[in-house]
Amino acid sequence: MDRNRIAPQDEAVLELAIRCAKGAGEIQRDRYETDISIRTKSAHIDLVTEVDHACEELIVAAIEKDRPEDAILAEEGGGQERADSDWRWVVDPLDGTTNYAHGFPRFCVSIGVEFRGKTQVGVVYDPLLDELFYSVKGSGAWLGERKLKVSSTSVFNQALIATGFAYDVHKSPSDNIERFARVLKSARGLRRDGSAALDLCYVAAGRLDAYWELKLHAWDVSAGSLIVQEAGGTVTNCTGGPAPLTGEELVSSNGLLHETLISLVQDQ
Ligand code: IPD
Ligand code: CA
Ligand code: CA
């Protein structure tokens, strides 16, 4: 990324977000496949580990030290929301906790930063592959030094797509399963890898052609949505309208497949 093209205030935020993501990623790498404590949250399949908390503590402490005026929304409850702040950090300290707890090597740190209610900076770090995805609004999306571009797949039966399922899948009738079946029968392949933030970055990188999910949260989608859009992709809700920053509905694609994906994932 050409740092000269970025406003100094954005650059400072990007640098801090990268430092936080790498610091948390180091914790994830160090404690991966060790004997960590694991608890459940909203359901027996919704896990939280000591590593989620340790990563969040590191990130929140670094933001509060450097930028005490900023608001923070962090998944495990650290940080402070401040209604009067221009900047808000939206933090998923460990996206892919189930994978992490099982030693399945697909998880990351995700940090989105909003300026006056719009995402301005996004950073996603995969510590095992040492892959740093990042973007500043208007400056493209990057994987390290490589500028990202979404795929050019335009035929749905040649597309590799990903999705995910919410932690209430065992009890809620709104479970994404019919949508899953429709897409499965129309696409080349369909994945459920367990990290929403990485799924979005993979759409940006052209490794996936599209990704959708329901009932996500702001911290799952904040950074990744910006990264997809800055890589030339499209992010909407299930009817093609603006995707809520809060993550309840998210459909992302290279743009070329968007209409078809919407026709398959909207209510029927
Ligand atoms: C989860 C992951 C998963 C998605 C879930 C998310 P977490 O986040 O992103 O891929 O399907 O909906 O909640 O709990 O591992 O941070
Ligand atoms: Ca998450
Ligand atoms: Ca998480």
Side-chain angles (χ1 to χ4, degrees):
M1 176 182 279
D2 181 359
R3 298 273 173 111
N4 295 325
R5 287 189 54 218
I6 303 173
Q9 59 167 13
D10 292 342
E11 197 183 349
V13 169
L14 176 66
E15 271 179 17
L16 177 57
I18 291 176
R19 180 150 51 86
C20 289
K22 289 205 163 172
E26 201 177 318
I27 295 176
Q28 295 176 10
R29 218 169 22 233
D30 287 352
R31 300 197 203 172
Y32 184 54
E33 292 187 308
T34 66
D35 187 17
I36 55 167
S37 78
I38 302 171
R39 288 185 298 109
T40 57
K41 293 200 288 184
S42 64
H44 70 286
I45 58 169
D46 183 4
L47 306 180
V48 61
T49 75
E50 65 178 58
V51 175
D52 299 66
H53 288 294
C55 291
E56 186 164 303
E57 276 161 29
L58 177 144
I59 295 166
V60 169
I63 300 166
E64 283 178 344
K65 178 164 178 282
D66 278 27
R67 302 176 62 93
E69 312 284 289
D70 292 2
I72 304 174
L73 172 66
E75 180 178 10
E76 309 309 337
Q80 240 196 304
E81 285 272 24
R82 293 173 206 276
D84 56 344
S85 179
D86 279 343
W87 293 91
R88 183 170 84 137
W89 295 67
V90 184
V91 178
D92 193 336
L94 171 47
D95 184 48
T97 296
T98 306
N99 288 345
Y100 193 86
H102 284 259
F104 185 90
R106 187 168 163 78
F107 50 84
C108 65
V109 188
S110 175
I111 302 176
V113 196
E114 297 168 359
F115 180 68
R116 296 185 181 158
K118 295 212 165 113
T119 310
Q120 185 69 14
V121 171
V123 172
V124 174
Y125 182 55
D126 175 339
L128 293 185
L129 292 179
D130 191 24
E131 287 193 325
L132 181 74
F133 299 87
Y134 61 99
S135 178
V136 173
K137 197 171 187 181
S139 307
W142 300 79
L143 168 48
E145 295 302 308
R146 179 157 70 91
K147 191 163 198 234
L148 297 178
K149 196 172 175 319
V150 292
S151 72
S152 56
T153 308
S154 58
V155 180
F156 207 83
N157 67 16
Q158 294 173 5
L160 184 62
I161 296 179
T163 190
F165 299 92
Y167 291 123
D168 65 1
V169 67
H170 292 243
K171 51 179 201 258
S172 168
S174 161
D175 56 14
N176 201 25
I177 287 171
E178 282 174 19
R179 293 169 167 91
F180 180 88
R182 286 197 291 270
V183 176
L184 180 65
K185 287 174 183 291
S186 309
R188 176 177 282 167
L190 181 50
R191 302 284 179 262
R192 194 289 190 248
D193 281 349
S195 168
L198 282 180
D199 289 333
L200 283 161
C201 291
Y202 279 24
V203 173
R207 295 171 179 174
L208 289 169
D209 301 299
Y211 158 71
W212 92 94
E213 190 165 340
L214 310 174
K215 301 183 185 174
L216 291 165
H217 295 92
W219 45 79
D220 300 307
V221 303
S222 179
S225 297
L226 177 69
I227 291 169
V228 169
Q229 286 166 310
E230 287 291 323
T234 304
V235 179
T236 69
N237 65 12
C238 288
T239 52
L245 287 178
T246 42
E248 294 98 320
E249 285 186 11
L250 177 127
V251 184
S252 69
S253 79
N254 65 4
L256 302 170
L257 300 169
H258 212 77
E259 218 180 297
T260 310
L261 183 56
I262 292 282
S263 71
L264 294 166
V265 303
Q266 71 190 355
D267 284 333
Q268 311 255 315

